[in-house]
Amino acid sequence: MNFSIFDSGQSQIVIKLFNNVFSDSEGEAEGELIGQLVSDLITTTDAQDLKGFVALSQNEIVGCIFFSRLTLEDNITAFILAPVAVSTNHQGKGIGQQLIAFGIQYLKEQGIDLLITYGDPNFYSKTGFHSISQACIKPPLRLSQPEGWLAQSLTGEIIEPIDGISKCVAALNKQAYW
């Protein structure tokens, strides 16, 4: 398994990957929703605000992850991990966790302070994320599942409460994703 930085030439393959994975697990409507999110992230987000990574098996993309900028009011450099997908026939092999670890290491090297995600605590805790309260870091939109609000420090510092609002990139700024 190889991991690399997402290249815009991979856009259509990656959009199809997300659509297929989420259609298989959550139904066709969810697949289309997440496929559209990925398309919007790729086409509307400034390069400095979006970091993507792919997992390759025999030169075929079998996984992808995106991190996009989360703007906080106190000059902490933060990104949010969303979404991540591993092709259905490659799941259960640790590829998603390895891909997340690859992305986290890259972001650490880029001087990013804080990562946030919104998802299954059981899965994301395996890659260093911990539950946080909405009082600690206010999410950009209302959470339908507050227990899924997770974070990790990339500096080794304790995550202190951050006053004020947070803002995500435009592609992610839709209640349907939260």
Side-chain angles (χ1 to χ4, degrees):
M1 191 66 50
N2 294 315
F3 302 97
S4 66
I5 296 171
F6 166 78
D7 177 299
S8 61
Q10 300 166 321
S11 295
Q12 292 308 311
I13 295 166
V14 164
I15 292 165
K16 185 175 181 181
L17 170 74
F18 278 94
N19 191 319
N20 290 344
V21 167
F22 282 85
S23 290
D24 288 350
S25 66
E26 308 291 328
E28 193 173 324
E30 188 72 6
E32 289 176 15
L33 181 72
I34 302 304
Q36 187 62 54
L37 166 61
V38 172
S39 177
D40 291 346
L41 279 169
I42 293 168
T43 60
T44 68
T45 307
D46 289 338
Q48 73 268 16
D49 294 335
L50 184 67
K51 309 296 179 196
F53 305 94
V54 294
L56 299 142
S57 176
Q58 299 175 345
N59 291 325
E60 175 190 352
I61 295 175
V62 298
C64 185
I65 188 170
F66 286 99
F67 297 86
S68 57
R69 188 169 307 278
L70 186 69
T71 304
L72 303 171
E73 290 194 3
D74 65 353
N75 294 328
I76 290 177
T77 307
F79 274 73
I80 187 164
L81 180 169
V84 59
V86 173
S87 68
T88 304
N89 58 346
H90 285 85
Q91 291 178 6
K93 301 175 184 175
I95 295 169
Q97 291 175 30
Q98 293 174 52
L99 186 55
I100 291 169
F102 180 84
I104 288 171
Q105 184 58 42
Y106 178 90
L107 293 172
K108 276 184 184 178
E109 291 168 4
Q110 300 300 306
I112 305 305
D113 299 317
L114 180 67
L115 288 181
I116 306 287
T117 195
Y118 179 50
D120 180 357
N122 294 321
F123 177 77
Y124 289 106
S125 66
K126 296 174 186 173
T127 58
F129 287 91
H130 303 279
S131 293
I132 59 168
S133 72
Q134 294 179 66
C136 182
I137 299 173
K138 186 176 183 346
L141 295 165
R142 182 183 47 79
L143 301 179
S144 60
Q145 310 228 354
E147 68 280 358
W149 193 231
L150 311 165
Q152 72 172 283
S153 169
L154 298 186
T155 63
E157 301 289 322
I158 293 174
I159 298 172
E160 299 288 343
I162 298 172
D163 290 330
I165 62 168
S166 64
K167 289 188 245 175
C168 57
V169 298
L172 199 53
N173 195 30
K174 295 179 176 72
Q175 190 60 56
Y177 303 130
W178 298 88

